[in-house]
Amino acid sequence: MAETKSTVTAAGATAAKAGTSVQAKKSSNAVSWIAPVICLIAGVSFYVFVLGNSGNFVNGKGSNWMGKMHEGGPIVPLLITLFLIVIVFVIERLLTITKALGKGNIADFVRKVQYHLANRNVDAALQECDKQQGSVANVMKAGLRKYKEMIGNSELDTEQKVLTIQKEVEEATALELPMLEKNLVFLSTIASVATLIGLLGTVIGMIRAFSSLGEGGSGGSSAANDLAKGISEALYNTALGIGTSAVSIIMYNVFTTRIDSITYGIDESGFTLTQSFASNYK
């Protein structure tokens, strides 16, 4: 019984030593609900005070593109709001992902770490992580710390040590990836919704235009002018919707491509650590 207890205690101590050193990041995502509210206020204000300025109208009709856009109806401020939301989250994601890419080329960084590990210089590899920064460096640094710890561990065999390092990398990765993908849902959603809302505004404008045409009877040029004016107003909704959707789709694809490159670098980092340890510390 005493021997069994001793074995269990040793196993528990080993598990505690092999536990992860990765700490969860405390991050606030207040921008995800504050930004849409501010954009809504800004969009409505722009519609009312800028587009609706009296200088944009002559005899109650829009005399320039701002006045005509104002005549597009209540869908216009909503579309302006969506466009502002896209701009805000494009800037926010651009700053975040640029920071996550680090200060140098990811492939060069991984090669430098591989070189130092091949020479069994873990401290130099950690210094490379401090220089590089970014998500790949954060994951690599977490893995290297566990790597260094496992070198001096005499209680686990090589295979168990490799698995411990791999687990550390996976847990560090699980903390980094959500930060990269956060708020992209706004861009993907607006990419689909903006065009539909723009078409809704167009349909409403066309209904209003043909209604005016019907009320005007068969009155020649006046009726034709009302129809042309209504179609022009309606198409502003389409232009806003398509433009917003296009910007959102392009930037979403740009960001997902950059995230894929970071993810590939993280995967390569994990592979580098496990393979290096397995070959250097058999």
Side-chain angles (χ1 to χ4, degrees), residues 3 29 36 41 64 81 89 97 115 157 195 241 250 252 256 259 270:
E3 185 177 338
N29 197 24
I41 295 172
N64 54 34
T81 298
F89 284 110
I97 294 176
Y115 172 78
D157 59 30
T195 303
I250 291 171
Y252 179 83
T256 52
I259 290 172

Side-chain angles (χ1 to χ4, degrees), residues 254-282:
V254 168
F255 292 144
T256 52
T257 299
R258 291 192 175 187
I259 290 172
D260 287 344
S261 68
I262 294 173
T263 303
Y264 177 79
I266 290 174
D267 292 341
E268 189 176 4
S269 299
F271 180 79
T272 295
L273 290 173
T274 55
Q275 291 301 307
S276 171
F277 193 95
S279 61
N280 292 337
Y281 303 94
K282 293 180 181 179

Side-chain angles (χ1 to χ4, degrees), residues 6-154:
S6 176
T7 304
V8 172
T9 304
T14 300
K17 290 181 181 179
T20 178
S21 63
V22 179
Q23 299 297 322
K25 296 181 179 179
K26 295 181 180 180
S27 61
S28 174
N29 197 24
V31 67
S32 65
W33 60 271
I34 292 176
V37 173
I38 294 176
C39 289
L40 177 60
I41 295 172
V44 172
S45 299
F46 184 81
Y47 176 77
V48 173
F49 298 110
V50 179
L51 298 182
N53 187 286
S54 58
N56 298 325
F57 299 89
V58 175
N59 297 326
K61 296 182 179 181
S63 59
N64 54 34
W65 68 269
M66 288 192 288
K68 292 176 181 178
M69 184 180 292
H70 184 273
E71 293 174 342
I75 300 296
V76 171
L78 179 57
L79 289 169
I80 293 173
T81 298
L82 292 178
F83 181 75
L84 292 176
I85 291 174
V86 168
I87 296 301
V88 167
F89 284 110
V90 163
I91 294 173
E92 187 269 338
R93 286 292 87 195
L94 185 62
L95 294 174
T96 300
I97 294 176
T98 299
K99 182 179 179 182
L101 286 169
K103 294 185 176 181
N105 184 274
I106 293 175
D108 290 341
F109 162 70
V110 173
R111 281 194 292 270
K112 289 177 182 177
V113 171
Q114 288 173 338
Y115 172 78
H116 292 308
L117 291 180
N119 291 302
R120 302 194 177 193
N121 192 345
V122 181
D123 290 331
L126 285 168
Q127 289 175 3
E128 291 294 340
C129 294
D130 292 333
K131 293 177 185 177
Q132 173 71 16
Q133 300 181 5
S135 292
V136 177
N138 291 341
V139 173
M140 181 72 88
K141 190 172 185 178
L144 284 170
R145 285 173 175 168
K146 185 61 66 175
Y147 186 108
K148 189 174 182 179
E149 180 184 331
M150 289 298 103
I151 292 174
N153 188 305
S154 59

Side-chain angles (χ1 to χ4, degrees), residues 193-213:
V193 171
T195 303
L196 296 177
I197 293 177
L199 291 174
L200 174 63
T202 301
V203 171
I204 293 173
M206 294 297 289
I207 291 173
R208 190 165 54 223
F210 282 104
S211 177
S212 298
L213 179 62

